Amino acid sequence: MITNQTMTIIRKIVIAVLLLGAVACGNADKVPSNILSKEKMRDILLDMNMADAYSYDISPMRGVPLPDSMRQLKVKEYYRQILDLHHISVKEFMFSYRYYESHANRLKEVYDMMQASIAEERKALEGEDRRQQYADNPGSFFPYPKNTVISKKQDTIFPFLKRKH
């Protein structure tokens, strides 16, 4: 037999559970305060990806790849500089990165934000490049006339190929 006192305790427990559930659902998209925000993580990871890409192109003789051990040392140096620029310690970054790794949906959101940021930047750069090329030569037929190659073997035009200088 359930007494009034037991019923009151059960109601309080049910109300507490419902309140906790409502609070948890309201913060479902929020990142804890001790974790880097999605925007900050996006910016750091974008810089790190650029550092990785750049590390392949730092050979003094261009075209001759650096040995992997030297490239890894350079990447570590770049990462350290990136974290310093963002005023983040390695420990803080790794703690946040592990959090995002363990929450795949949030990590995916960060990567989606990275892709959107890159797409915006590419669009802006391509637009500026096109405007500059047209300003230099308004009568040009091709969108990128300076990058057009005319074959010497045939009279075919290959547009949009970058010339190697």
Side-chain angles (χ1 to χ4, degrees):
M1 182 172 221
I2 300 177
T3 64
N4 275 346
Q5 192 176 22
T6 308
M7 203 57 166
T8 305
I9 292 172
I10 290 173
R11 283 187 188 132
K12 287 181 180 179
I13 292 173
V14 168
I15 290 171
V17 168
L18 289 174
L19 285 173
L20 285 174
V23 169
C25 288
N27 293 331
D29 194 38
K30 298 208 179 192
V31 175
S33 62
N34 61 339
I35 302 296
L36 295 174
S37 70
K38 293 175 196 172
E39 293 77 13
K40 186 83 166 170
M41 186 60 87
R42 172 203 61 204
D43 294 343
I44 293 170
L45 290 176
L46 278 170
D47 289 346
M48 288 181 165
N49 280 310
M50 294 295 273
D52 273 337
Y54 181 72
S55 71
Y56 282 104
D57 194 34
I58 58 176
S59 169
M61 294 173 34
R62 302 277 188 228
V64 178
L66 286 175
D68 201 40
S69 58
M70 286 179 65
R71 192 187 74 75
Q72 287 176 355
L73 285 173
K74 277 301 206 188
V75 168
K76 281 184 182 181
E77 185 180 318
Y78 295 148
Y79 283 3
R80 174 78 258 152
Q81 291 172 354
I82 289 165
L83 293 177
D84 287 346
L85 285 170
H86 289 277
H87 308 289
I88 302 294
S89 70
V90 173
K91 186 177 179 180
E92 289 173 306
F93 173 76
M94 290 309 297
F95 183 76
S96 293
Y97 190 76
R98 285 186 193 107
Y99 169 82
Y100 282 104
E101 276 187 323
S102 65
H103 295 83
N105 58 335
R106 292 196 175 130
L107 185 60
K108 183 184 180 321
E109 289 173 11
V110 171
Y111 280 115
D112 289 345
M113 291 168 62
M114 289 170 65
Q115 283 183 322
S117 177
I118 291 168
E120 279 180 37
E121 195 169 320
R122 178 182 293 158
K123 188 176 180 181
L125 287 173
E126 286 177 352
E128 181 59 34
D129 186 38
R130 285 179 186 238
R131 281 191 294 276
Q132 186 60 44
Q133 295 244 350
Y134 185 75
D136 292 345
N137 186 7
S140 66
F141 178 73
F142 295 108
Y144 294 99
K146 292 181 180 174
N147 295 335
T148 303
V149 177
I150 299 175
S151 171
K152 292 182 181 181
K153 294 181 183 176
Q154 52 187 336
D155 61 348
T156 306
I157 298 173
F158 298 101
F160 314 110
L161 298 175
K162 291 209 178 221
R163 287 187 183 167
K164 297 191 182 210
H165 299 286

